[in-house]
Amino acid sequence: MKKRGSLHPLRFRLETAGSQVMEEEYHLVVASLTSTLPGAKAATPDESSPNDESRREGGPQELPFSENNRTSVTESFAHLIHGLKVEHLTDRVIQRSKRMILDTLGTGFLGTSTAVFHKASQYSKIYSSNVSSTVWGQTDFRLPPVYAAFVNGVAIHSMDFDDTWHPATHPSGAVLPTLTALSEALPQHTKFSGLDLLLAFNIGIEVQGRLLHFSKEASDIPKRFHPPSVVGTLGSAAAASKFLGLGSTKCQEALAIAASYAGAPMANAATQTKPLHVGNAARHGIEAAFLAMLGLRGNKQILDLSSGFGAFYANCSPKVLPSLDTHNWLLDEQDVAFKRFPAHLATHWVAEAAASVRKHLVLSDRAQLSIDHIERIVLRVPDVQYVNRPFPDSEHEARHSFQYVACTMLLDGDITIPSFQTCQIRRPQVRELLRKVELEHPSDNLPSFNTLYCEISVTLKEGVTFTERSDTFYGHWRKPLSQEDLKKKFRDNTSRVLSHDVVESLIKIIEKLEDLEDCGMLTTLLKGPISTQKASKPSSM
């Protein structure tokens, strides 16, 4: 793919002339950020000699996975974060990442109507700072950057409507809030271009993808840790480190610090706590980068060790990254999936197969389904326990239910944002239909977003059975949403929060983001104004 020219280098570099003055200013920023807790004092830079590292406390030294004695895996990641420049970006990566940014902003604005966003926002209001960043769509509400990143990240994942990648994670939600918060927090004379934003964003995405490729376990739908809480935290730290212009050593420390923030159990899937995983990833990435800049140290081989990043994934086999000269972006090779309705990605195969079966059962798309004639519904899906919820009782459980999505599509012929409201979940027709659903797990239907399928069979009381199968739904990376449909999703998601003019301005800015000279134009639009159509009360979702 064609690579970009170096017309818009990052404005901020600590190694440029006057860097000592700028570094002092950034320490003042960090001091403000770290003073948000009552009585807290900002740390001072670590003045110890590099030779002091040999005297750090610690137990027996563990041998790293890497057999390369010259460069550790962690060092290679740090060199990549520090060394990648705008000219390394390809046209395809820029176009794909702009689509990710547009979709992520849209899901974030929509998420500001949810109860979990309002709970996170109320909590974050106890913190204050001389430095503040925008909470998306809230004209009169700003927070310290780490908490603005937190609540915006929560909003993005609050309905499980954000993008999904392979190996499995939600890549954008952990990174974009980090960068929008930082772009406002830094000294006013420091301006970031759209290409600066795209570079840092893609570094955050790239780090997540590279880490996920270290383990076969990561290729499957997760069972233990929610991936954004692990790789998202390190990706956020990488993006923040790039935006702050940290050197390789500081980038290495930021990754080590971020690893100690990482990890959240899958047991909290289908609850209001799950969106916190993405919000915390964004927040902790900023904290890790600032703490590294202030001199905090971690294990410099954090990605090499089985007791480091290897603790999160079985059979982890890290490898030193290629040099910058031979670097290829994973996003160039593997696109993301965009969802058409707010639920777990695996349910999108179910919805498409159910829609096909419905055509055999009704006279028209909008006709009502007579559930009395249905004897049995069989879903042949992968064995993913946290999406096997026969009788969901909340919005979040319904978003993680093969059974509910199938029954809703059969009944209504469509799945929309209101489909997950409590009044819809508890409809008598839905509950009756749910009692007729059975799951089967064929041995060839593996729990991977790259290979799974859904087959649905509906048997009527007179004995007739209709069967349909979905191998790839519209929105999957093999069948991507058109640009027009992606913009329609963005407009639908933002119309209750932003005015029409702001919505259209955001679309235009993102479409030409590589030409934007000052990201301040973008962050100004993220504030609002708020549309008169905005709901007066938060959704219960």
Side-chain angles (χ1 to χ4, degrees):
M1 296 299 296
K2 181 181 177 182
K3 296 189 176 183
R4 308 295 298 187
S6 54
L7 298 177
H8 297 270
L10 280 171
R11 267 70 172 173
F12 170 60
R13 299 196 184 281
L14 288 176
E15 63 267 25
T16 59
S19 63
Q20 183 176 358
V21 174
M22 294 188 74
E23 187 167 8
E24 289 175 357
E25 290 189 34
Y26 278 79
H27 283 305
L28 290 175
V29 173
V30 179
S32 296
L33 298 178
T34 55
S35 64
T36 54
L37 287 171
K41 294 183 178 180
T44 56
D46 191 339
E47 299 292 340
S48 58
S49 164
N51 293 331
D52 290 344
E53 295 202 15
S54 62
R55 296 192 293 271
R56 283 182 295 174
E57 295 181 1
Q61 294 298 304
E62 181 180 3
L63 292 176
F65 286 122
S66 171
E67 296 179 359
N68 187 332
N69 293 323
R70 292 175 295 174
T71 303
S72 71
V73 173
T74 314
E75 283 178 313
S76 72
F77 271 75
H79 293 325
L80 184 83
I81 295 165
H82 175 68
L84 282 172
K85 295 179 173 60
V86 163
E87 54 263 33
H88 288 101
L89 293 172
T90 66
D91 290 339
R92 178 185 286 172
V93 165
I94 287 176
Q95 294 307 315
R96 286 180 172 177
S97 56
K98 287 192 300 182
R99 284 164 56 87
M100 294 163 71
I101 290 170
L102 184 71
D103 187 67
T104 302
L105 289 174
T107 58
F109 281 117
L110 177 66
T112 61
S113 67
T114 62
V116 62
F117 169 80
H118 285 271
K119 288 180 172 69
S121 298
Q122 288 299 313
Y123 156 73
S124 298
K125 284 180 180 178
I126 69 174
Y127 300 95
S128 63
S129 170
N130 294 331
V131 181
S132 64
S133 300
T134 296
V135 177
W136 298 350
Q138 314 295 304
T139 53
D140 300 320
F141 182 27
R142 296 176 65 84
L143 286 170
V146 290
Y147 290 99
F150 168 65
V151 298
N152 289 331
V154 169
I156 289 166
H157 197 56
S158 61
M159 291 189 183
D160 215 323
F161 210 1
D162 44 332
D163 57 19
T164 305
W165 209 15
H166 176 74
T169 194
H170 303 285
S172 300
V175 175
L176 187 60
T178 298
L179 299 176
T180 61
L182 283 177
S183 68
E184 293 184 277
L186 302 181
Q188 291 186 355
H189 63 260
T190 305
K191 292 183 179 180
F192 295 93
S193 72
L195 277 174
D196 295 338
L197 177 67
L198 284 165
L199 177 60
F201 177 82
N202 277 290
I203 286 173
I205 303 301
E206 181 76 4
V207 164
Q208 294 179 69
R210 294 287 176 177
L211 291 171
L212 288 167
H213 277 82
F214 286 167
S215 170
K216 185 180 182 300
E217 179 189 350
S219 295
D220 295 336
I221 298 173
K223 294 181 180 180
R224 299 188 300 134
F225 295 100
H226 193 207
S229 73
V230 181
V231 297
T233 305
L234 277 76
S236 171
S241 297
K242 187 64 178 181
F243 223 47
L244 293 169
L246 302 190
S248 293
T249 300
K250 298 293 188 184
C251 291
Q252 195 170 351
E253 300 291 8
L255 292 173
I257 296 165
S260 280
Y261 281 121
M266 287 305 303
N268 272 325
T271 73
Q272 284 188 331
T273 296
K274 189 187 177 202
L276 302 186
H277 301 172
V278 174
N280 278 329
R283 166 192 168 187
H284 291 149
I286 294 178
E287 290 181 348
F290 274 118
L291 288 169
M293 192 176 73
L294 287 172
L296 192 70
R297 291 173 174 173
N299 192 314
K300 291 184 181 297
Q301 292 186 329
I302 197 70
L303 304 183
D304 300 70
L305 304 175
S306 60
S307 59
F309 179 76
F312 296 108
Y313 289 99
N315 302 315
C316 189
S317 181
K319 294 179 175 59
V320 172
L321 298 182
S323 67
L324 292 174
D325 293 338
T326 59
H327 174 73
N328 292 310
W329 299 92
L330 292 178
L331 189 60
D332 236 337
E333 305 163 7
Q334 173 69 61
D335 202 357
V336 299
F338 295 113
K339 300 177 180 180
R340 299 179 71 193
F341 60 86
H344 188 275
L345 192 72
T347 66
H348 288 62
W349 280 270
V350 174
E352 186 161 289
S356 297
V357 166
R358 190 178 193 275
K359 293 177 181 178
H360 299 291
L361 306 176
V362 296
L363 296 176
S364 66
D365 289 343
R366 297 189 177 278
Q368 290 292 315
L369 176 70
S370 177
I371 62 176
D372 293 337
H373 296 297
I374 295 178
E375 178 72 24
R376 181 172 179 245
I377 301 170
V378 177
L379 302 179
R380 299 178 184 92
V381 293
D383 186 7
V384 183
Q385 288 302 308
Y386 74 96
V387 196
N388 178 3
R389 299 181 185 273
F391 297 98
D393 198 42
S394 71
E395 294 92 341
H396 294 278
E397 289 183 359
R399 299 182 198 284
H400 295 76
S401 171
F402 288 129
Q403 296 90 331
Y404 177 77
V405 167
C407 291
T408 299
M409 180 60 81
L410 288 172
L411 278 171
D412 303 332
D414 196 11
I415 299 178
T416 62
I417 293 168
S419 297
F420 298 94
Q421 293 175 352
T422 303
C423 61
Q424 296 295 313
I425 296 168
R426 296 179 180 175
R427 286 181 292 169
Q429 308 97 304
V430 172
R431 310 310 281 188
E432 182 178 348
L433 204 55
L434 283 169
R435 285 190 283 270
K436 302 181 181 185
V437 179
E438 303 171 15
L439 295 192
E440 293 180 358
H441 305 302
S443 60
D444 68 335
N445 200 352
L446 302 177
S448 166
F449 291 138
N450 205 39
T451 60
L452 76 82
Y453 64 87
C454 171
E455 188 174 272
I456 178 172
S457 295
V458 176
T459 301
L460 305 183
K461 289 188 175 179
E462 55 264 34
V464 179
T465 297
F466 298 102
T467 299
E468 293 287 349
R469 171 169 164 154
S470 171
D471 291 300
T472 305
F473 64 88
Y474 181 48
H476 191 271
W477 44 82
R478 289 192 296 270
K479 195 186 292 185
L481 283 185
S482 69
Q483 187 65 13
E484 285 307 309
D485 283 342
L486 190 68
K487 288 193 287 187
K488 182 182 183 301
K489 177 185 174 182
F490 179 80
R491 291 185 178 105
D492 290 344
N493 285 347
T494 55
S495 61
R496 286 166 56 85
V497 181
L498 302 176
S499 69
H500 172 79
D501 290 344
V502 171
V503 171
E504 296 306 314
S505 294
L506 279 169
I507 291 174
K508 289 179 181 178
I509 281 183
I510 300 303
E511 285 183 331
K512 299 292 184 181
L513 189 56
E514 66 269 39
D515 298 325
L516 186 66
E517 294 185 359
D518 183 1
C519 282
M521 294 178 63
L522 172 62
T523 54
T524 297
L525 290 173
L526 298 183
K527 302 172 187 177
I530 296 181
S531 168
T532 56
Q533 299 178 26
K534 186 176 180 181
S536 58
K537 293 182 180 180
S539 161
S540 59
M541 289 181 275

